[in-house]
Amino acid sequence: MYDMATIGIMDSGVGGLSVYREIRKLLPSERYVYFSDSANCPYGEKKPEFIRDRCREITGMMLSRGASAMVIACNTATAAAITTLRSEFSIPFIGMEPAVKPAALGTRAGVIGVLATAGTLKGSNYLKLKHGVEDDIKVVEHVGAGFVELVERGELSGPAAEETVKRSLRPLIAAGADIIVLGCTHYPFLLPVLRKITGPGVRFIDPAPAVARHLRDILRQKNIAMDDPDPGIELLTSGDQRQLENSFRHLIGQ
């Protein structure tokens, strides 16, 4: 059943669907398996050891379904586990990286904002990126408190969503950030609310398109990408299957 190449995508919940959305634009004829670890969502406050163990288990399950490459579509999981995964498994792993460098190159104000989970902001990869630009650029960061929960509930607009988003945006706006990096894959689904609150003077950077291009390049290099005669996506979850399918229809429109 799983003799064709398959791209595995995992996240703590449905946020990784924002990455799948961009990948599918570039690779519409591939087969995908998506795993939402909804029973353990969010990962932002979980211990790195727990996240690594979950990523190992999920990767093993993806391999049993024919995964030839894995996208860790979660900034927190990437920070906690991708080095371990690459050392223990032979398939390529593509992770998420907060787009601090592109933001630093694009800012006119000299101030960039980063919205992410607590786990991502404490990760060594993010801290290295941040320190690499701080000589010239002021980096202001804030946890997107409640953002993941909004997306998991499918609450992408309305007064409650706006108030939740506004609380985390205020420090970044007050500091003068003209570019804000979205450091969690759930956050792009809140872009309409984010833009409504900041107005046109602030630009947001979603790293998902860059991740999709990187995946495409890796698949080509390794001759993994192939047109599947039966492309599509298999949805799996540690939580409620029906809820994941409803979220997929709501967020992706398929």
Side-chain angles (χ1 to χ4, degrees):
M1 181 178 179
Y2 300 107
D3 56 339
M4 303 295 287
T6 297
I7 298 168
I9 303 173
M10 68 149 289
D11 181 40
S12 63
V14 300
L17 291 174
S18 69
V19 183
Y20 162 75
R21 179 175 60 186
E22 297 301 325
I23 292 172
R24 193 174 178 278
K25 289 178 185 177
L26 292 183
L27 300 167
S29 300
E30 304 301 328
R31 179 182 294 169
Y32 299 91
V33 178
Y34 183 89
F35 189 90
S36 166
D37 196 12
S38 298
N40 297 294
C41 185
Y43 277 178
E45 300 292 342
K46 298 285 193 302
K47 292 183 178 179
E49 295 80 8
F50 174 85
I51 297 171
R52 278 194 289 273
D53 287 342
R54 289 300 298 149
C55 289
R56 282 192 187 100
E57 292 176 28
I58 294 165
T59 297
M61 181 272 298
M62 292 292 203
L63 289 173
S64 74
R65 281 171 156 74
S68 301
M70 277 285 293
V71 179
I72 310 302
C74 172
N75 286 267
T76 304
T78 297
I82 200 163
T83 300
T84 299
L85 295 173
R86 285 171 173 160
S87 70
E88 295 181 3
F89 297 93
S90 59
I91 64 171
F93 286 86
I94 292 85
M96 304 300 299
E97 179 178 279
V100 173
K101 290 180 182 177
L105 291 171
T107 180
R108 295 181 178 180
V111 182
I112 65 172
V114 179
L115 282 171
T117 67
T120 296
L121 294 177
K122 289 185 287 190
S124 60
N125 188 34
Y126 167 71
L127 293 174
K128 186 187 298 182
L129 290 168
K130 176 184 173 182
H131 295 325
V133 302
E134 277 189 317
D135 287 345
D136 304 307
I137 303 295
K138 181 180 179 181
V139 181
V140 185
E141 59 197 32
H142 204 278
V143 172
F147 287 24
V148 170
E149 291 80 359
L150 284 173
V151 175
E152 290 292 320
R153 292 196 303 268
E155 192 175 347
L156 308 182
S157 61
E162 290 179 19
E163 186 54 38
T164 298
V165 169
K166 194 179 294 183
R167 282 196 294 268
S168 292
L169 275 179
R170 279 181 187 136
L172 309 185
I173 297 170
D178 62 342
I179 296 181
I180 295 177
V181 174
L182 300 181
C184 172
T185 56
H186 282 77
Y187 297 0
F189 289 118
L190 293 168
L191 269 170
V193 174
L194 289 160
R195 288 172 174 148
K196 180 179 179 180
I197 291 168
T198 62
V202 176
R203 182 160 66 93
F204 292 90
I205 298 183
D206 173 10
V211 170
R213 292 191 296 271
H214 181 51
L215 171 65
R216 179 192 59 192
D217 294 343
I218 292 294
L219 296 181
R220 286 175 175 172
Q221 289 170 17
K222 296 184 176 295
N223 294 316
I224 293 173
M226 59 192 304
D227 287 338
D228 195 306
D230 184 27
I233 184 167
E234 180 182 11
L235 300 172
L236 302 170
T237 181
S238 58
D240 186 315
Q241 182 69 26
R242 182 172 293 180
Q243 183 175 342
L244 173 59
E245 291 168 1
N246 289 338
S247 294
F248 184 82
R249 283 190 288 270
H250 178 53
L251 297 171
I252 304 300
Q254 291 180 309

